[in-house]
Amino acid sequence: MAIVAGVDFGTLSVRVSLVDSERGLIDSASAEYPLHRKREDPEYATQSHDDHMRALALATREALKKAGMAGDQVRAIALDTTGSSVIPVGKDLRPLGEYYLWCDHRAKGEAAEITEAAHREGLEAIQWCGGVYSSEWGFSKLLHWLRHNPDRRPEFASAFEHCDMVAATLSGITDPKKVKRSICAMGHKWLWNAQLGGLPPETFLVTIDPLLQGVRDKLDGEYATSDQIAGRLSPFWAEILGLKAGIPIPVGAFDAHWDAIGAGCRTDDMVNVIGTSTCIIGITPSVNLVPGVCGVVQGSVHPLRTGIEAGLSAVGDIFNAIASRAGTDVKTLSAGLENYRAGQTGLLRMTWDNGDRTVLVNPNLRGVTLGWNLQSTAQDELFAAIEGTAFHTRVILDRMAGHGVHIKRVINAGGIPQKNDALNQVYANVLGRPVLVPSKSVVSLGSAIFAFMAAGTFKTIEEAQDKICPSHRAFLPDDSAQRIYDDLYPFYSRLYFALGQRGSDGLGDILPSLMAVAASSTNRTSQ
């Protein structure tokens, strides 16, 4: 028997779960931290490293208190985080600002420049991340920071993903060169590829902007999968967290990738980790490069398999926005959704409220709802938004299947499927296949599994999953609803590509132009 701490840093809070190798979850606790946004700049989203660490300490001590156990019983601690959430640092790993959070889209221009340069220079790594570089990813955010912080550039020593920064901090590491970097994070978001020599060459980076000169060397170091040890808990942080000094901390990863492991993902499975956004995470036995996905990385999800990532830039955020506009909350507005029939609202909802992550990789899009009438309600829009996210997921899975990715099972994980059976049923009906949902919450369970691996409790991830992961509930497609969605899907797909990408018909110019007009108006008002 062994007890470990699994930590999950989400967008608004951190959860710490104490898990027993025999009994499963003992208890958990969470603590919130602020998300800094600006009404005048909807692309802005940052968080403080100090806020994260304070919340981690509060949640860890609260979890121990609720479990009624001493901290010296915990044999390992593992951490996953959002991503790409990037922080620039100076010497001694001192933050030079706040994290550019995953949902910070200020670097849209930088992302476009990287994409253009990659295709112009024939950078092979761009094909491993779907052919388009995103404003949600590391190099675009770092370049944006370098351009907009000239006074701090002389102090710049390196930049880190949140998962690597937290592990290094807890381990007492202060030399950027000694920080182990997550292959999950760097492979999916920083164009790192072991087969291609690691990070893109310096000669490529400086063609984007001379400000990137020397950055490759500053991002150098040991890149590792999550079955490796990032460090051991320092005495300083052991006292703050209430744990024992010296316990192992494995190399971290992104929350969705470890959530997939906690949800029981095996080879050829695809997991929809549905929360504020959706990350679609799969494990494949071989490499299949798919245009428009967020990366194909060997060792990113399972250390011995190839991971593939895709997703939607907003899901739960859209549901919350619809409820807020109606003066209520999602739970209240969702009451009765189980009685809705497929397509009954007459609405077709493009869920681009925060741009498109996959397949178009286009941040210059916004939500569209077609079919309104004078009796349409907020609840109708919520149901249409659920249908829209399911249709978008089908677009993504169809794209994967068309490029050789075999999908054996579909699992809905994350926070929302646990609370919304109507959503799970819609997904089964739209996808036309069974959708499995863990019978219990798996938040931070993937972290616990990698903590057990670090502690030597289990020999393989599969052995840990068999012991720790909950069983699944199955949502089976309804034949009648599936037929209706099969009729609607071609319309959704036509709109998705017509409105979402620029073409000769000009429809793809509409949403970016609306955004440009709004930005111009805001700038004139503030001057």
Side-chain angles (χ1 to χ4, degrees), residues 80-201:
D80 66 43
T81 67
T82 64
S84 185
S85 293
V86 179
I87 192 164
V89 301
K91 64 178 183 178
D92 301 328
L93 252 63
R94 177 175 49 84
L96 297 179
E98 295 197 326
Y99 285 96
Y100 276 59
L101 205 62
W102 66 270
C103 51
D104 188 304
H105 291 168
R106 283 177 289 166
K108 292 187 293 186
E110 286 76 9
E113 292 175 54
I114 294 170
T115 299
E116 190 277 329
H119 288 286
R120 183 186 68 241
E121 301 295 326
L123 185 72
E124 189 176 348
I126 196 69
Q127 305 305 330
W128 287 71
C129 65
V132 182
Y133 202 76
S134 171
S135 61
E136 294 187 355
W137 299 352
F139 272 119
S140 53
K141 291 180 176 180
L142 176 56
L143 181 55
H144 184 276
W145 183 88
L146 289 169
R147 286 174 170 175
H148 290 81
N149 293 274
D151 56 325
R152 308 216 73 174
R153 285 202 297 261
E155 303 174 68
F156 176 70
S158 191
F160 289 97
E161 284 287 342
H162 188 191
C163 60
D164 297 330
M165 182 69 172
V166 176
T169 300
L170 293 180
S171 301
I173 298 172
T174 57
D175 182 351
K177 290 291 187 183
K178 294 182 179 179
V179 177
K180 290 187 180 179
R181 295 181 185 267
S182 165
I183 279 178
C184 173
M186 303 304 289
H188 282 288
K189 312 299 183 184
W190 290 82
L191 295 169
W192 182 90
N193 188 307
Q195 295 185 21
L196 304 177
L199 292 170

Side-chain angles (χ1 to χ4, degrees), residues 219-297:
L219 296 176
D220 200 10
E222 183 178 350
Y223 287 62
T225 51
S226 294
D227 55 349
Q228 304 298 309
I229 303 300
R232 294 186 176 274
L233 188 62
S234 70
F236 175 82
W237 280 103
E239 183 175 355
I240 291 176
L241 300 182
L243 301 178
K244 183 172 62 175
I247 61 174
I249 305 170
V251 173
F254 290 150
D255 49 3
H257 298 70
W258 278 8
D259 279 349
I261 293 293
C265 183
R266 299 292 180 95
T267 301
D268 289 331
D269 288 347
M270 204 64 60
V271 181
N272 301 314
V273 184
I274 305 173
T276 53
S277 69
T278 288
C279 285
I280 300 174
I281 305 296
I283 298 175
T284 66
S286 58
V287 172
N288 292 279
L289 301 184
V290 182
V293 303
C294 306
V296 176
V297 180

